[in-house]
Every structure is written in C-alpha cells, then in structure tokens.
Amino acid sequence: MFLPILKVNAEDLPDRAVVCGDPGRAKLIAERMDDARELSFNREYRTFVGTYKGVRMAVVSHGVGCPGAAVCFEELIRGGVKTLIRVGTAGSYTADLPPGSLVVSTAAARTDGLTRQLVPEGFPAVADTELVMALYEQAKQAGDLVVRRGITVTLDVFFNGVVEFPHKLYKQSGALAVEMEVSALYAIASLRGARAAAILATDGYADADLAEVYDPYTDAVSKAVEAEMDIALRTLASIN
C-alpha cells in the first residue's frame, strides 16, 4: 500500500516510530540509528528507517500543529505502525520546570480544533500507560535533567491575538506545559488501536508571570532535546 502524503510504501515501515515536528530534527534522530536511510521528504513529512540496538524503527517529521501532524499519524498507523513516541518541545507552566527540563505527557487537554472533529467533547486524549512509564524510567536515567510526568495542553495558537491565552486556567488546573500536537497523537492512537506517548523538552515559559525573552537555542534546551532523542530511541528499542 502506498501512503500518498508521506510518499512511502507501507511495506517499508516498521511497527514503531519516533515522530517529531522538525524535518531537521528527524535527520538528527536518524543519525543515531544504524543503517538509517531516508525513504522520502514530502512537504514537512520526512521519513527515515533504520535500526537501534537491533530493533527496526522509523523516524518521521510531522510539522507544526494538529491538522498536518494528524495526517502523518493517520498514514503511519495505516501503514502498520503500532507504537509512536513524539519527541518535541513545550512551554513550561511552572518554575519547577525551567527551560531544559523534560516532561513525559500522560494526557493532553484538547484545546485544539482538530480533535473536536474526530472525537466527542469530553473524550480524553490519553497516552498509553506502559509506554509512559517506560519513557519516564528512561528519562530518569538521563543525568541531571529535571524530569516530570503529567498532563500537558495542546493549543493551536502560538502568537497572541485579542483572545486571552488559557495558560493561567490550565496552570491552576495542574497542567505542566503546553505544546501543539500531542492531543492529536493521543486521540488518533485511541481511535485507530495504536499506542502513543510523548516526551517534551521545555524551551521557555508559557506562563506570563515567568516568561522571559523566548530563546529556544540555549545550551540547556539543546541538552534536553539531545537527551529526549536518545530516551525515545531507547524506549522504543526496549518495549515489546
């Protein structure tokens, strides 16, 4: 079966994949694998396959935002991928998670528009429990990085308009961080019978009371992003 958006043949895909927003980051992750080869690069969707610790897996970029990312997740699952781990970045809601920390998302608050058209209101976007715990255990071994697990928020908008961001509301509710794709990943995995989880490096503060000049290119953030790539690969290689 040919997957027309990713532009890959389903027969070339393994049953597990790391997904990330940035095509450049997909290449960096693939370079950590053995015998990695690029299958395609169409629009924001860049696909590699290879092996890591003897386990065959894919790395695929999905771009920014739920609608485009959902296309990637749907086609991967249709192509036979059963386990997906998202590697990404997020804005922290708390001083306990400074830039350069890691968050393993157990569930996502669905403030996006895409999942409202897929599942009923009130349907939760929840990660696979075993996959979350495997990611979390690997993350805790990643040296001196701050690591937390908990609920994250998926929001469509990045730059503020005249409508106030809901950051304060979700911070008060106990959410740890905000990003732009996890709810789509979790809802689609639930719908299609796959399992999914996400690990996110905090690259700044979303909370206005903590916010500084946004700079996602600091050494601390780079260190966390490098770490989460390895954590995701190790997790995929270690699970059944």
Side-chain angles (χ1 to χ4, degrees):
M1 177 174 61
F2 183 68
L3 305 173
I5 308 301
L6 297 182
K7 288 192 174 180
V8 300
N9 291 309
E11 295 77 15
D12 293 329
L13 290 174
D15 66 354
R16 57 194 72 191
V18 176
V19 292
C20 62
D22 181 3
R25 186 170 295 162
K27 184 175 186 294
L28 292 175
I29 299 170
E31 289 172 351
R32 288 163 155 74
M33 301 194 299
D34 297 319
D35 306 318
R37 62 188 179 97
E38 187 170 347
L39 294 183
S40 70
F41 193 167
N42 182 46
R43 299 185 180 184
E44 63 264 50
Y45 309 111
R46 192 174 191 179
T47 304
F48 297 87
V49 293
T51 58
Y52 185 82
K53 296 186 181 298
V55 178
R56 191 164 175 265
M57 57 186 72
V59 180
V60 188
S61 62
H62 54 64
V64 176
C66 283
V71 173
C72 174
F73 306 149
E74 293 275 16
E75 285 208 340
L76 286 175
I77 295 170
R78 292 182 185 188
V81 175
K82 301 296 185 185
T83 303
L84 303 95
I85 293 177
R86 167 162 152 68
V87 170
T89 54
S92 172
Y93 278 154
T94 171
D96 294 338
L97 286 168
S101 303
L102 294 176
V103 176
V104 177
S105 173
T106 58
R110 297 194 298 112
T111 72
D112 66 282
L114 181 281
T115 60
R116 296 176 189 175
Q117 300 180 57
L118 288 179
V119 293
E121 183 178 354
F123 186 90
V126 181
D128 179 85
T129 302
E130 292 183 1
L131 202 53
V132 162
M133 290 310 301
L135 263 181
Y136 184 64
E137 290 303 318
Q138 290 287 349
K140 288 196 299 182
Q141 300 172 30
D144 58 352
L145 297 177
V146 176
V147 180
R148 296 273 301 278
R149 69 178 187 270
I151 295 170
T152 57
V153 177
T154 298
L155 187 68
D156 286 337
V157 64
F158 191 88
F159 294 105
N160 206 357
V162 296
V163 177
E164 185 177 355
F165 280 138
H167 296 324
K168 183 177 181 180
L169 179 66
Y170 283 103
K171 177 184 177 179
Q172 291 174 337
S173 300
L176 299 180
V178 58
E179 56 76 69
M180 301 182 77
E181 295 88 18
V182 169
S183 63
L185 175 62
Y186 290 176
I188 289 168
S190 294
L191 277 174
R192 312 304 181 201
R195 57 181 179 172
I199 184 167
L200 309 163
T202 58
D203 62 359
Y205 291 110
D207 181 359
D209 294 332
L210 298 170
E212 303 167 353
V213 175
Y214 177 60
D215 181 5
Y217 303 111
T218 65
D219 290 342
V221 174
S222 296
K223 180 180 178 182
V225 170
E226 292 281 333
E228 68 177 354
M229 295 179 192
D230 293 326
I231 291 163
L233 290 170
R234 290 200 304 268
T235 302
L236 278 185
S238 67
I239 59 175
N240 294 323

